[in-house]
Amino acid sequence: MFPFHSQGITAYKPFFYYFTNHLCLSLLVGLINFRTDKPMECEKRTLINELTQGLELAKQLGSHLQPSSSIETRESLVKRILSSYDKALKLLKCNELDCSNGHGTADSPPSLAGSSPRSDGSDRDVKDQYQKEVFKKRKTQPQWTEHVQICGGGGFEGPLDDGFSWRKYGQKEILGANFPRGYYRCSHRHVQGCLATKQVQRSDEDPSILEITYRGRHTCAQTSYLTAPTTTVAPPEKEPKKETVDQQQKQQPEEIMLNFKLKTEEFETKDQIFPSYSFSGEDYALPQSVAGNAMIGGFSPAFVSSANSESDYFMNRVPLRGVESDLAEIISDPASVTDSPIRGLDFSLDPVDLDPNFSLDALEFFS
DNA sequence: CTTATTTGACCTGA
DNA sequence: TCAGGTCAAATAAG
């Protein structure tokens, strides 16, 4: 899979520099253009964390260049680096798509207030129309898959607490799969018409790996963004202990490793991902503030805990029965009224002319 | 009582 | 026709 497998350490070194130079830089170009709108802080932090972790892992990779280091170790590091940068790229790419499509494009569902389920007449028509709209959108929504490996033990709440508020709406046995697939949608669907969904399925090959397929971007005003402190303590486990796959994942682990894979958002050319910038790569230094955000094991503590903070916990309690109560929640949340409901990243990817000797010290930009 | 999850039925697209 | 995705009544949990 990797060039150093067959050609040894010497062939591997350029590969390492390839990571540290080109990958980091192309992503940082996006970050440099990052506007600092407050609601974006969480995603910005996530992006920085991903890049920071990538850099740290690349450093580790550099220290494993000795022949004594195992290929497995190096391969693991490379995978994790790819994971970090893929995720960062995803954030950048998604935002770019959102910008080009216009932000508030999420259609709110037709009002379902007062319509009884599966009733006949016009209510049924409206409902069918909405459902068709959902199916239609499903095909056009961006889709990507994360592979999350869970290891260790502890209170990690896993992909169900990825900073967004999800509600499980179904579980299905999948043909040929050993484990059922769980279906989740954004808790704010009925309030704000957010059509983001995700599917969680345990891998057949390695049950410790969860394949999480996200569909659609959140167009809702996730209150976690508004209230997320940078460091919080997770509230006590509130989830019931049940024997479903998705429940089990919550009781696993405090350390996870992300194996992020883009499925549908392919980049057209390598140059898009790896522009031909060059700089002296090895001698980079992270500013303290950035390094302080470095993740341990995959998720930024800030990001993971943001959805678990006490304030968030209650802010995320979205009444799900009845539009009236949903509206009441919006009204009671000033930010929902005054802020744009769109929480997508808001930065540009305009081309930037870079000094060929550009150094990663430019990270100070973000401190 | 309120809210979240479960689960069988229904719907859609291939 | 069937597999996958979604809905919503029933049920569980707090």
Side-chain angles (χ1 to χ4, degrees), chain A residues 132-173:
Chain A
K132 283 177 183 174
E133 197 67 21
V134 171
F135 275 102
K136 192 177 174 181
K137 272 182 171 289
R138 193 194 299 161
K139 296 185 71 175
T140 58
Q141 293 276 3
Q143 171 182 322
W144 66 97
T145 300
E146 286 186 12
H147 288 189
V148 179
Q149 182 165 18
I150 307 168
C151 52
F156 169 62
E157 299 209 350
L160 295 183
D161 264 333
D162 51 10
F164 292 100
S165 180
W166 299 100
R167 175 175 178 147
K168 188 172 186 176
Y169 65 85
Q171 180 166 304
K172 188 101 178 160
E173 297 288 339

Side-chain angles (χ1 to χ4, degrees), chain A residues 4 31 58 139 196 260 309:
Chain A
F4 50 85
L31 262 181
K139 296 185 71 175
F260 188 85
S309 68

Side-chain angles (χ1 to χ4, degrees), chain A residues 35-329:
Chain A
R35 292 205 287 267
T36 55
D37 304 24
K38 265 199 167 181
M40 305 303 130
E41 283 301 319
C42 184
E43 290 193 58
K44 176 184 175 184
R45 203 180 313 124
T46 306
L47 190 52
I48 290 175
N49 285 338
E50 289 294 340
L51 292 171
T52 303
Q53 189 196 28
L55 290 173
E56 291 300 320
L57 290 169
K59 284 181 180 177
Q60 292 179 34
L61 196 52
S63 67
H64 281 85
L65 292 179
Q66 297 80 8
S68 56
S69 297
S70 70
I71 285 178
E72 288 74 20
T73 302
R74 277 177 258 144
E75 185 171 348
S76 168
L77 285 168
V78 168
K79 281 181 179 175
R80 293 173 64 184
I81 291 170
L82 284 172
S83 165
S84 291
Y85 287 134
D86 275 347
K87 190 160 190 178
L89 277 167
K90 170 65 187 56
L91 284 169
L92 292 167
K93 188 72 177 178
C94 274
N95 176 72
E96 186 181 30
L97 290 173
D98 276 3
C99 287
S100 60
N101 294 339
H103 267 154
T105 57
D107 298 334
S108 296
S111 172
L112 299 176
S115 66
S116 60
R118 302 187 191 279
S119 61
D120 45 16
S122 60
D123 284 346
R124 175 61 180 266
D125 292 341
V126 168
K127 183 152 177 50
D128 285 351
Q129 193 177 353
Y130 173 54
Q131 192 171 17
K132 283 177 183 174
E133 197 67 21
V134 171
F135 275 102
K136 192 177 174 181
K137 272 182 171 289
R138 193 194 299 161
K139 296 185 71 175
T140 58
Q141 293 276 3
Q143 171 182 322
W144 66 97
T145 300
E146 286 186 12
H147 288 189
V148 179
Q149 182 165 18
I150 307 168
C151 52
F156 169 62
E157 299 209 350
L160 295 183
D161 264 333
D162 51 10
F164 292 100
S165 180
W166 299 100
R167 175 175 178 147
K168 188 172 186 176
Y169 65 85
Q171 180 166 304
K172 188 101 178 160
E173 297 288 339
I174 300 302
L175 204 69
N178 297 332
F179 302 98
R181 178 179 297 168
Y183 297 89
Y184 299 82
R185 67 179 168 223
C186 179
S187 295
H188 305 295
R189 162 168 289 195
H190 296 302
V191 193
Q192 299 169 39
C194 179
L195 292 177
T197 62
K198 74 173 179 180
Q199 300 172 1
V200 179
Q201 183 162 27
R202 190 157 290 203
S203 170
D204 286 343
E205 293 79 19
D206 184 355
S208 68
I209 292 179
L210 296 174
E211 297 175 2
I212 308 171
T213 300
Y214 292 90
R215 281 181 173 164
R217 257 183 80 69
H218 284 271
T219 56
C220 57
Q222 289 278 344
T223 51
S224 60
Y225 284 151
L226 304 172
T227 58
T230 53
T231 55
T232 55
V233 176
E237 182 78 51
K238 75 178 182 69
E239 298 294 339
K241 291 186 165 59
K242 292 173 183 172
E243 291 305 314
T244 68
V245 170
D246 298 319
Q247 299 296 332
Q248 289 166 8
Q249 78 192 20
K250 289 189 172 185
Q251 297 162 26
Q252 303 234 8
E254 53 200 18
E255 181 186 358
I256 63 165
M257 290 185 296
L258 261 187
N259 234 335
F260 188 85
K261 181 173 73 179
L262 292 182
K263 250 191 181 170
T264 59
E265 296 190 358
E266 300 291 344
F267 296 93
E268 290 169 344
T269 67
K270 278 189 174 180
D271 289 343
Q272 277 183 269
I273 313 175
F274 311 125
S276 57
Y277 303 126
S278 66
F279 63 105
S280 54
E282 237 181 322
D283 191 20
Y284 51 79
L286 286 174
Q288 201 73 27
S289 58
V290 172
N293 268 333
M295 290 174 286
I296 298 174
F299 274 134
S300 132
F303 187 56
V304 169
S305 62
S306 65
N308 295 336
S309 68
E310 289 290 344
S311 58
D312 254 358
Y313 177 77
F314 292 107
M315 292 294 279
N316 277 328
R317 305 282 87 181
V318 179
L320 293 159
R321 297 285 163 87
V323 174
E324 295 83 359
S325 53
D326 290 339
L327 289 174
E329 186 205 33

